[in-house]
Amino acid sequence: MLLCHIASLPLVRFVPPLAAFPKTFSSPVFSSPISRSALRWGWHLNRRPSERRSSRRPDRQIGGSRSHSMESKTEARDPAAESPVAVADGGKGVRLKLEEFNWDHSFVRELPGDPRSDTIPRQVLHACYSKVSPSAEVESPELVAWSESVAELLDLDPKEFERPDFPLIFSGAVPLKGGLPYAQCYGGHQFGVWAGQLGDGRAITLGELLNSRGERWELQLKGAGKTPYSRFADGLAVLRSSIREFLCSEAMIGLGIPTTRALSLVTTGKFVSRDMFYDGNPKDEPGAIVCRVAQSFLRFGSYQIHAARGKEDLDLVRTLADYTIRHHFPHIEKMSKSDDLSFEVGVKGSLIVDLTSNKYAAWSVEVAEHTASLIASWQGVGFTHGVLNTDNMSVLGLTIDYGPFGFLDAFDPSYTPNTTDLPGRRYCFANQPDIGLWNIAQFTATLSAAQLISKEEANYAMERYGDKFMDEYQSIMTRKLGLSKYNKQLISTLLNNMAVDKVDYTNFFRLLSNIKADASTPKNELLVPLKAALLDIGQERKEAWTTWVQTYIEELVASGTPDDERKAAMNSVNPKYILRNYLCQSAIDAAEQGDYGEVRRLLKLMEHPYDDQPGMEKYARLPPAWAYRPGVCMLSCSS
């Protein structure tokens, strides 16, 4: 698996999802086989960049560079001109009231919908969505927390959070003027098994708006009530899981990782019954609703569901792909032969993939690369998603659907925060890169089934995933160590040492910047800068660490970078603060008693995780003993 390649860690036992593949396999849904070799990391990743088979490998992503928040441009409209009050506020940009949003409901306008509007659970055929309104019962809802930076994305005046009716609107009790609510239809593979129709079972999109910069943003209430996709569930959410989703959405953007965002978190004033441990002992918990914000909530499963339903719905895959490219990847439609994006694939480059001749192939490559970059960034900060089903994979390369996630405390490649994942650890930290590729294989199989891309184009997308992941991961690890170039052996040995001694992932890398590039440092002083991270290690392990630090210092000396310059650079990529599960739980415990102060403090802290923030050092401490109790260090999907 991938981290074995990078770090030579003994992780073979954590690869059941991939080791179980036959030499060729067919999706339960699609008949086109995918070569097993296309899903194994030894495949192309040992090649040096100069050896990759490309007649021209652009040093940019197709259509241009990608920021942490992908911008969607629409040519047909000038939202600033159409906005009812496009007035600048002291140089701070446009400030709108909720009633003044510039709505543009393209998803509902351009795609086929469910002719029914009831919420009776059912199979929704030949449709991408069902119109449905929020229906969660609400009694004196309260605003728990809000994000002013998300408000800025929407051109929303922060004073709107002070409105008495804000909690009513964002609990769904009062309609948002101009909105057009719906729930999306999608399917997915769950733990490697096709699950059929899933859909937005408790998330209801309020609508899409265009801000003054031409960016498209979708507002969605999670926990707002039943939809046709709720199956046997109640469509609701509890405060516990809602706090986690709200905080992690904003913490990830602070870390510089692409993610859905969260505008607000409100309590409903009602209780919701949840069996947190699936042990037959449900309890009542406070209900809550998060307003999630993203440029789109389209997932791999949004396309899979239509391909799974056979010939009658295959055209919907093309229709939805056209919609996605038009609104979220418009640069792809503007490509021409002059861009010369042709690549050799197959044995000795026997076939040519020309991305300018097939926009769907170009799109699949971009989705693969965005996904690879995203997962590389997760590995860099020690984030484990926990439920990487294909219905939880964004086609925009965003972190989406925060359930039983967790950041590494002690470095353990087999760590999974999801109790449901314990038997096979399919979604453990070390498996995430491989699972990303497995999911890309399902996505490209969908496009192949709809005859949008060829087998060669599908394989090329998967190859680009591998190359992109390795490029990004090696760059991240090089910067985390403050090196001038990637050193596989040095990083391999480091990660192996960290796994053996269960060293705290975040604190270790933050402390590493304190080591000086001084080859004359006495041997007995080499570990002093790391003593807060290297706890309870015996003499033999001290020798192993001392040897590693000596080699590391040699690399630093050879690079010639001044210590203060390197320290600043390393601290800009190694966060001091991460959203550890025990910090979330402390905020949850207080909030369930009506005290929302800790939620708001964590939100503020996670806005600048790379800064020292004097006075906040306690939030960087190792987890206390109580943090290892069930429901804190590991969670279920019950929310």
Side-chain angles (χ1 to χ4, degrees):
M1 64 181 299
L2 183 56
L3 287 186
C4 289
H5 170 78
I6 296 174
S8 301
L9 288 173
L11 303 181
V12 177
R13 63 184 182 279
F14 305 130
V15 202
L18 299 185
F21 286 162
K23 290 183 179 178
T24 63
F25 77 97
S26 297
S27 160
V29 187
F30 312 113
S31 59
S32 55
I34 304 294
S35 166
R36 180 180 182 183
S37 65
L39 294 166
R40 296 304 304 182
W41 283 111
W43 190 38
H44 295 298
L45 303 187
N46 290 317
R47 292 204 309 261
R48 293 184 297 273
S50 61
E51 296 173 326
R52 290 174 185 144
R53 296 165 295 179
S54 168
S55 59
R56 175 173 179 256
R57 183 182 176 219
D59 58 2
R60 58 174 174 82
Q61 296 191 11
I62 299 167
S65 61
R66 176 186 186 232
S67 66
H68 295 313
S69 215
M70 289 184 3
E71 294 188 358
S72 301
K73 307 293 183 181
T74 52
E75 301 292 332
R77 305 183 60 183
D78 180 354
E82 294 182 13
S83 176
V85 272
V87 179
D89 180 11
K92 296 181 180 179
V94 175
R95 298 294 183 92
L96 302 178
K97 294 182 178 180
L98 292 172
E99 293 81 4
E100 297 165 340
F101 277 150
N102 183 29
W103 295 103
D104 179 43
H105 305 297
S106 67
F107 197 85
V108 172
R109 184 177 66 243
E110 300 176 23
L111 295 170
D114 181 3
R116 293 169 54 175
S117 58
D118 61 86
T119 61
I120 297 173
R122 62 186 186 276
Q123 290 294 303
V124 177
L125 305 176
H126 323 309
C128 295
Y129 63 88
S130 301
K131 290 184 179 178
V132 59
S133 296
S135 61
E137 291 187 23
V138 170
E139 184 178 317
S140 303
E142 289 186 277
L143 181 59
V144 175
W146 59 94
S147 171
E148 294 196 2
S149 64
V150 176
E152 186 176 347
L153 292 176
L154 307 178
D155 296 331
L156 179 66
D157 191 332
K159 293 180 180 178
E160 291 294 280
F161 292 119
E162 302 170 11
R163 290 173 52 152
D165 61 348
F166 188 94
L168 289 168
I169 294 172
F170 284 92
S171 64
V174 173
L176 180 56
K177 182 181 178 182
L180 189 58
Y182 67 88
Q184 189 188 150
C185 178
Y186 52 82
H189 283 83
Q190 298 193 324
F191 294 90
V193 178
W194 177 248
Q197 177 181 291
L198 299 168
D200 286 334
R202 58 175 172 170
I204 297 176
T205 290
L206 298 179
E208 303 165 59
L209 60 84
L210 292 169
N211 67 13
S212 58
R213 297 171 294 283
E215 298 166 344
R216 182 175 301 277
W217 294 101
E218 182 177 330
L219 275 63
Q220 185 182 88
L221 299 185
K222 185 172 181 179
K226 288 186 177 182
T227 77
Y229 313 102
S230 297
R231 294 175 284 176
F232 302 105
D234 56 18
L236 306 177
V238 298
L239 184 60
R240 163 177 52 85
S241 62
S242 299
I243 285 174
R244 286 172 53 81
E245 172 132 16
F246 178 86
L247 288 176
C248 202
S249 299
E250 297 308 286
M252 292 293 267
I253 205 67
L255 289 167
I257 296 175
T259 178
T260 59
R261 303 294 301 275
L263 174 68
S264 62
L265 168 61
V266 300
T267 58
T268 62
K270 293 289 188 176
F271 284 90
V272 177
S273 179
R274 285 291 181 267
D275 186 353
M276 181 174 170
F277 299 110
Y278 300 132
D279 60 0
N281 294 296
K283 72 170 188 175
D284 289 342
E285 300 185 49
I289 295 174
V290 175
C291 180
R292 306 197 298 185
V293 176
Q295 292 191 305
S296 174
F297 286 94
L298 283 165
R299 306 125 186 283
F300 291 6
S302 303
Y303 309 85
Q304 286 183 286
I305 186 62
H306 305 302
R309 286 173 167 163
K311 293 181 179 179
E312 195 171 354
D313 277 12
L314 274 180
D315 284 346
L316 268 181
V317 179
R318 181 184 297 270
T319 300
L320 187 55
D322 286 340
Y323 167 85
T324 308
I325 293 170
R326 180 165 61 251
H327 288 288
H328 302 289
F329 300 82
H331 51 276
I332 289 177
E333 291 193 315
K334 298 174 184 177
M335 289 191 307
S336 66
K337 290 287 185 180
S338 62
D339 290 323
D340 187 26
L341 295 176
S342 299
F343 302 87
E344 296 178 355
V345 298
V347 180
K348 296 183 179 179
S350 58
L351 295 170
I352 299 292
V353 171
D354 180 6
L355 299 183
T356 61
S357 64
N358 184 356
K359 67 178 181 180
Y360 305 111
W363 176 52
S364 69
V365 168
E366 191 154 339
V367 171
E369 290 191 342
H370 287 351
T371 302
S373 295
L374 175 69
I375 295 179
S377 68
W378 291 352
Q379 303 303 107
V381 297
F383 175 78
T384 309
H385 184 281
V387 201
L388 281 182
N389 299 326
T390 58
D391 57 296
N392 294 337
M393 299 291 293
S394 161
V395 294
L396 300 188
L398 307 175
T399 314
I400 189 172
D401 291 337
Y402 292 93
F405 67 84
F407 286 86
L408 290 174
D409 292 317
F411 182 61
D412 176 6
S414 71
Y415 169 69
T416 179
N418 185 354
T419 55
T420 310
D421 191 37
L422 274 177
R425 297 183 185 265
R426 175 184 176 86
Y427 295 144
C428 72
F429 176 74
N431 274 358
Q432 290 185 132
D434 287 319
I435 292 298
L437 178 59
W438 195 91
N439 289 341
I440 287 293
Q442 308 315 307
F443 178 69
T444 56
T446 300
L447 303 186
S448 295
Q451 298 184 337
L452 301 184
I453 63 175
S454 67
K455 181 177 70 173
E456 292 75 25
E457 289 165 338
N459 282 336
Y460 181 68
M462 289 187 282
E463 178 176 353
R464 283 304 307 146
Y465 174 96
D467 288 343
K468 185 67 175 179
F469 181 88
M470 287 303 298
D471 288 346
E472 294 286 333
Y473 183 80
Q474 290 180 4
S475 174
I476 288 168
M477 295 307 293
T478 299
R479 286 180 282 127
K480 285 180 76 68
L481 271 72
L483 303 176
S484 58
K485 60 185 178 183
Y486 180 71
N487 185 321
K488 177 184 173 181
Q489 185 58 47
L490 186 72
I491 294 172
S492 278
T493 305
L494 170 61
L495 294 180
N496 187 71
N497 283 344
M498 292 178 71
V500 169
D501 294 312
K502 301 190 180 304
V503 176
D504 187 83
Y505 190 79
T506 300
N507 290 356
F508 176 86
F509 279 108
R510 187 73 177 192
L511 290 170
L512 193 61
S513 66
N514 294 326
I515 289 182
K516 308 295 184 184
D518 182 1
S520 65
T521 302
K523 185 177 180 179
N524 63 350
E525 296 179 12
L526 289 173
L527 301 185
V528 171
L530 304 175
K531 65 180 181 180
L534 302 181
L535 305 173
D536 301 322
I537 60 173
Q539 187 58 39
E540 182 180 349
R541 297 304 304 153
K542 285 183 180 179
E543 289 294 331
W545 277 104
T546 298
T547 299
W548 183 86
V549 171
Q550 287 174 325
T551 305
Y552 177 58
I553 289 176
E554 290 173 6
E555 283 286 307
L556 298 184
V557 171
S559 73
T561 305
D563 288 336
D564 56 348
E565 182 180 324
R566 185 186 67 259
K567 181 180 175 66
M570 290 175 67
N571 285 352
S572 72
V573 296
N574 291 315
K576 181 169 183 176
Y577 304 101
I578 55 168
L579 191 65
R580 298 178 189 263
N581 274 350
Y582 86 89
L583 296 178
C584 275
Q585 191 60 46
S586 295
I588 291 166
D589 291 343
E592 289 182 337
Q593 301 303 314
D595 178 1
Y596 308 137
E598 191 65 7
V599 174
R600 296 167 187 173
R601 276 188 290 275
L602 281 177
L603 175 64
K604 193 70 176 174
L605 178 76
M606 297 302 162
E607 288 177 357
H608 304 286
Y610 298 99
D611 295 350
D612 282 329
Q613 301 191 53
M616 306 300 282
E617 291 82 2
K618 69 176 183 178
Y619 291 99
R621 291 175 185 165
L622 297 177
W626 63 262
Y628 295 96
R629 73 173 192 245
V632 180
C633 63
M634 295 188 70
L635 302 101
S636 72
C637 294
S638 175
S639 58

